[in-house]
Amino acid sequence: MSKTFWQSPNLRRARMSCGATLLLSITGFIAGCKASGTDNHTNTASGATVASHLAAQPQVPDDGLPAESTGGFDGKLAYGHVAKQVSFGPRPSGSQAILQVQDYIASQLTSSSCTVDTDSFSADTPAGRLPMKNIVVKIPGERQGIILLATHYDTKRLDNFVGADDSGSSTGVMLEMARQLCGKHGRYAVWIAFFDGEEAVRKEWQDPDNRYGSRQLAARMGMSGDLKRVQAMILADLVGGKTLRIKREQNSTKALVDLIWGTAKRLGYGEIFIDQTTPVDDDHLSFLQRGVPSADIIDLENSAGYWHTPQDTLDKISAKSLGIVGHVILESVKELQTR
Ligand SMILES: [Zn+2]
């Protein structure tokens, strides 16, 4: 990467591929992963059993931390969700493959006993009118406030782009997050949004050809009155790399970034959540623009070598990184629940 590129105010993310070789190499793992999903009917104590089941599969990377060391959040389970998404191939908005991802997300959320709201809509894009769907987990709280977590699950419209890191990683983290949180009622509601249509249909990132799903949810919540209930919006994107260095995203709300990065430091992840800054355009902008405190957890620089290329494949993903990011988000939510 060039320094000039990274200084661009409109850094955006990822694209293409996965060959037959990779698909063959993960087939065994996916079979195990699928079985583990059906084992996991509750959102509570079955993680250890499922994790050991996953660990028995030879294709699982051995860098995953024990869930006990990451606040119960299981990075290996999150990794399994990434592998499953990659197995569907390229998943741009409006494709057949994205329907499989939607079904997979829905089935996993059902397994975790989550209450789910789906919003099917269509968006006018440079490729014509495309069907899209937002999937939103809604965990009730005792008070009015909402803590909103989010990821996107569509992949960039590029030949052979399977998006293991973009958007498989953050979607895997949020599926495991749902398993952790569904059924646990806190002071505030927690919503977990899975956005369609984050990626620009055109090659370049140029408004309004991007963030279709997050703009839809923000608008819908604005209409319903729910938007003003949102106390914090935490977005994850590109969080699966093996040598994560997550900078403070400059557009994000400083107080919320301070809370997340402070939590990471307290947990011992100060070398991953670093104090340098970088600007990134992402789904959080849809909420920032409507006055919602929002933060983006994204490592676009670490992924520079494969971002929006055919090399964004499963071998780039670390179960350890997924576990650490999940731990930080989980503890940040706990912190927000005390405010
Ligand atoms: Zn991308």
Side-chain angles (χ1 to χ4, degrees):
M1 72 191 129
S2 72
K3 194 167 183 184
T4 309
F5 174 62
W6 292 114
Q7 287 173 338
S8 160
N10 285 319
L11 292 181
R12 271 287 50 232
R13 92 206 55 151
R15 76 166 107 147
M16 333 192 246
S17 130
C18 150
T21 308
L22 172 67
L23 284 171
L24 284 172
S25 72
I26 62 176
T27 302
F29 170 76
I30 289 164
C33 169
K34 195 169 183 179
S36 76
T38 55
D39 287 342
N40 177 27
H41 291 299
T42 70
N43 59 327
T44 51
S46 60
T49 307
V50 178
S52 60
H53 178 71
L54 277 176
Q57 302 302 316
Q59 292 84 359
V60 178
D62 58 7
D63 75 336
L65 298 169
E68 308 87 78
S69 69
T70 46
F73 186 96
D74 196 326
K76 295 193 193 79
L77 289 182
Y79 181 92
H81 295 312
V82 180
K84 187 69 182 180
Q85 292 171 81
V86 167
S87 77
F88 297 135
R91 320 175 285 286
S93 297
S95 65
Q96 282 297 311
I98 204 169
L99 301 179
Q100 293 180 280
V101 185
Q102 291 162 357
D103 287 348
Y104 179 70
I105 291 171
S107 71
Q108 292 302 306
L109 297 177
T110 299
S111 292
S112 297
S113 306
C114 299
T115 299
V116 178
D117 180 34
T118 59
D119 179 21
S120 296
F121 61 101
S122 55
D124 289 318
T125 79
R129 200 162 180 80
L130 296 179
M132 297 190 188
K133 183 187 283 187
N134 286 336
I135 301 169
V136 185
V137 171
K138 296 184 175 179
I139 305 161
E142 295 157 11
R143 301 186 187 173
Q144 279 291 301
I146 297 171
I147 299 163
L148 176 62
L149 309 179
T151 176
H152 75 96
Y153 68 87
D154 61 306
T155 56
K156 179 76 173 168
R157 184 179 286 253
L158 295 163
D159 290 345
N160 302 317
F161 177 70
V162 298
D165 205 6
D166 181 9
S167 58
S169 64
S170 54
T171 299
V173 164
M174 289 304 167
L175 283 173
E176 168 61 1
M177 195 64 63
R179 191 181 72 91
Q180 294 292 323
L181 296 177
C182 285
K184 290 179 186 164
H185 296 188
R187 183 177 293 174
Y188 305 113
V190 178
W191 290 14
I192 307 175
F194 297 82
F195 296 129
D196 200 340
E198 185 268 354
E199 298 286 4
V201 168
R202 288 203 181 93
K203 190 169 188 301
E204 304 303 322
W205 176 270
Q206 192 170 33
D207 292 345
D209 175 31
N210 52 56
R211 295 184 287 117
Y212 295 96
S214 58
R215 284 189 284 123
Q216 167 78 6
L217 182 66
R220 202 165 179 240
M221 291 179 73
M223 298 268 284
S224 68
D226 286 328
L227 198 69
K228 58 179 179 289
R229 295 172 54 200
V230 181
Q231 295 170 312
M233 188 270 193
I234 300 177
L235 174 69
D237 199 359
L238 288 157
V239 291
K242 290 184 174 172
T243 52
L244 274 188
R245 293 289 178 277
I246 306 175
K247 296 183 177 178
R248 293 168 174 258
E249 195 285 311
Q250 282 173 227
N251 300 304
S252 299
T253 306
K254 184 178 182 301
L256 184 55
V257 172
D258 286 346
L259 183 148
I260 298 166
W261 264 247
T263 299
K265 278 205 177 73
R266 175 169 61 78
L267 295 173
Y269 306 132
E271 291 184 359
I272 293 173
F273 284 73
I274 61 176
D275 285 331
Q276 295 171 42
T277 61
T278 189
V280 184
D281 286 0
D282 208 342
D283 278 321
H284 63 315
L285 297 185
S286 304
F287 290 83
L288 274 174
Q289 288 163 356
R290 290 172 178 267
V292 176
S294 307
D296 191 10
I297 299 173
I298 182 168
D299 183 2
L300 196 46
E301 298 187 21
N302 178 61
S303 60
Y306 56 84
W307 177 68
H308 285 186
T309 77
Q311 283 75 49
D312 184 1
T313 43
L314 193 57
D315 56 300
K316 307 303 187 300
I317 303 301
S318 156
K320 179 180 180 180
S321 295
L322 298 174
I324 288 170
V325 170
H327 192 193
V328 170
I329 295 174
L330 196 56
E331 292 299 320
S332 296
V333 169
K334 282 183 189 165
E335 176 63 28
L336 287 164
Q337 289 281 18
T338 68
R339 303 199 167 195

